[in-house]
Amino acid sequence: HSMMDTEIMLIPESDGIDLASASSNKALGGTVTASWSPSSFDHADDANDGNLNTNWSNYTNFNSDDWLQLELPEAIRVGKISIINKVGPNAGMHSFDLQYMHNDEWVTLNTYSSTRQGRNREVIEIDVPNITASKWRITNFELYPGHNCVGIYEFQVNAPIIKSNYN
């Protein structure tokens, strides 16, 4: 496995998902904003509420360069980012760029793709190679054919698991 491999974990829609607890999901202490959201539903903060019944989307106004941004209270070393993708009659994100802010410029870590067309609540897990940052975003979206927007249930950030030498 190279550092850039994306592990895809599929969770059946009917199963309960054990969302990362607040202690490990550092995103829950942060603020999510988006380039655009519908006025009365699917707001940006719905992608950071620990609730898989709510999501952000750019429904009715999709642009590939839209973005969903997470700002943490402080820069932390990130070990993993998980994007929980919504796939339904409208939402169907196929790929996106993951970016982080470094010296006031967005740096693209890589482009990642969903591998499960038509499967809702796919967890796209990205191992992050030792990057410390407070701002992360996904952008440069591509959709599956026949879909018209991006939908994101959760944008999660996890610190690396520190292994002790004193076990």
Side-chain angles (χ1 to χ4, degrees), residues 101-132:
M101 181 72 77
H102 179 72
N103 293 335
D104 295 324
E105 290 190 14
W106 288 107
V107 178
T108 298
L109 185 60
N110 212 335
T111 300
Y112 300 93
S113 296
S114 157
T115 60
R116 302 282 195 262
Q117 182 169 2
R119 295 300 296 268
N120 194 28
R121 293 184 177 156
E122 174 188 9
V123 180
I124 302 169
E125 289 193 331
I126 300 164
D127 289 321
V128 175
N130 193 14
I131 293 170
T132 298

Side-chain angles (χ1 to χ4, degrees), residues 20 29 34 60 62 86 120 122 129 136 145:
T60 73
F62 172 79
K86 180 174 184 174
N120 194 28
E122 174 188 9
W136 294 84

